[in-house]
């Protein structure tokens, strides 16, 4: 594994994905223990998509399950599709299968986005759930750890290319409707200010098909409208990129990468 660090951004590149997931799992455990020791609770935002599944499997494995402070952990979601929990598109449904049904998390610590209400109503309801979980006078809690993925077009959560997103507003959630990737979409997402107020953010990225976007997001100068992942810049926290060798292949700044490849 190799590391490069810039201000509050760390890029960690792993020879294989098993190493990547082991590191992300032990980082998550450490973040959980630190948060519980300092603030008596751990607020974790889960990501959808394929990439985090092996991390969820590790977190629910025998050894980690017993070391993890599940009773003090609250889980949230960075985004959701406007579908019921049993729909195969549901991020909540996926995390139940890979994580939640295998760990002792009490139902009141699970703060899901109710996609079945439709995008607008679910976004409104989720904003009020976030407010309930936050300190007095604030619209959302400061999350201890946010997990994010990266789409090959530069999207993250449901912040899609071509849209402008509030970077300072007090709006915690957005209903995302219209068409995306030439298909109708209806989703709910947290907004950049919510992500950027987190203590820690992990981007998990693996596979050759992400190589171009990883280089563009981390080293390019294209706007955040084109690559919304560039909006993720925690103001008082840190962001760590967990990238496998295949997805890191086009990064120039990484010393052990062959710039010709
Ligand atoms: C989702 C995610 C989305 C995802 C990226 C990467 O619900 O699909 O929130 O932003 O993280 O599309 O997805 P993969 O991990 O499947 O490549």
């Amino acid at each position: 594994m190799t590391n490069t660090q810039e201000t509050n951004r760390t890029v960690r590149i792993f020879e294989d994905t098993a190493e990547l997931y082991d590191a992300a799992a032990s980082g998550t455990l450490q973040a959980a223990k630190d948060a519980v020791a300092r603030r008596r609770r751990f607020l974790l935002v889960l990501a959808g998509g394929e990439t985090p599944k092996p991390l969820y499997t590790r977190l629910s494995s025998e050894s980690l399950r017993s070391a993890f402070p599940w009773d003090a952990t609250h889980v949230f979601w960075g985004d959701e599709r406007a579908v019921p929990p049993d729909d195969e598109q549901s991020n909540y449904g996926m995390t139940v299968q890979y994580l939640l049904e295998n760990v002792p998390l009490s139902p009141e610590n699970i703060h899901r986005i109710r996609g079945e209400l439709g995008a607008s109503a679910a976004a409104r309801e989720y904003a009020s759930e976030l407010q309930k979980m936050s300190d007095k006078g604030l619209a959302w809690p400061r999350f201890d750890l946010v997990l994010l993925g990266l789409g090959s077009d530069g999207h993250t959560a449901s912040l899609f290319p071509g849209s402008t997103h509030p970077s300072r507003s007090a709006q915690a959630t957005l209903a995302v409707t219209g068409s995306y990737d030439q298909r109708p979409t209806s989703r709910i997402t947290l907004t950049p200010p919510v992500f950027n107020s987190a203590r820690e953010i992990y981007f998990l990225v693996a596979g050759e098909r992400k190589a171009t976007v990883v280089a563009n997001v981390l080293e390019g100068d294209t706007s955040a409208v084109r690559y919304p992942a560039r909006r993720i810049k925690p103001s008082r926290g840190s962001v760590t990129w967990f990238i496998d060798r295949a997805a890191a292949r086009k990064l120039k700044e990484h010393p052990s990468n062959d710039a010709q490849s």
Side-chain angles (χ1 to χ4, degrees), residues 21 46-53 78-81 89-91 94 147-153 155-160 180 187 189 204-206 209-210:
Y21 291 115
L46 301 173
E50 290 299 312
T51 319
K53 289 178 177 175
D79 73 330
E80 184 56 280
R81 287 90 195 251
Q89 291 289 307
S90 168
N91 282 343
M94 180 276 277
L147 303 176
L148 287 172
L150 177 68
S152 37
D153 59 357
H155 80 260
T156 189
S158 290
L159 304 172
F160 294 118
Y180 169 63
R187 299 191 184 206
T189 188
L204 305 175
V205 194
R209 74 188 175 90
K210 304 281 176 74

Side-chain angles (χ1 to χ4, degrees), residues 8 10 15 24-25 28 52 63 114 129 139 141 158 161 169 203 220 241 254:
N8 60 352
T10 302
E15 285 310 316
T28 304
S63 56
R114 294 205 300 146
E129 176 70 7
S158 290
S169 98
F203 269 100
W241 286 75
H254 196 269

Side-chain angles (χ1 to χ4, degrees), residues 43-118:
L43 306 183
L44 172 65
V45 177
L46 301 173
E50 290 299 312
T51 319
K53 289 178 177 175
L55 168 62
Y56 299 155
T57 306
R58 276 167 175 72
L59 293 177
S60 51
S61 68
E62 190 74 34
S63 56
L64 269 183
R65 196 175 56 225
S66 48
F68 208 93
W70 290 112
D71 53 345
T73 297
H74 288 255
V75 292
F76 300 81
W77 279 261
D79 73 330
E80 184 56 280
R81 287 90 195 251
V83 296
D86 58 357
D87 189 291
E88 59 170 26
Q89 291 289 307
S90 168
N91 282 343
Y92 168 73
M94 180 276 277
T95 45
V96 167
Q97 190 189 343
Y98 283 86
L99 178 67
L100 304 182
E101 70 186 9
N102 305 318
V103 296
L105 197 59
S106 77
E108 61 271 23
N109 290 12
I110 298 174
H111 308 271
R112 80 172 176 94
I113 302 172
R114 294 205 300 146
E116 66 272 30
L117 300 178

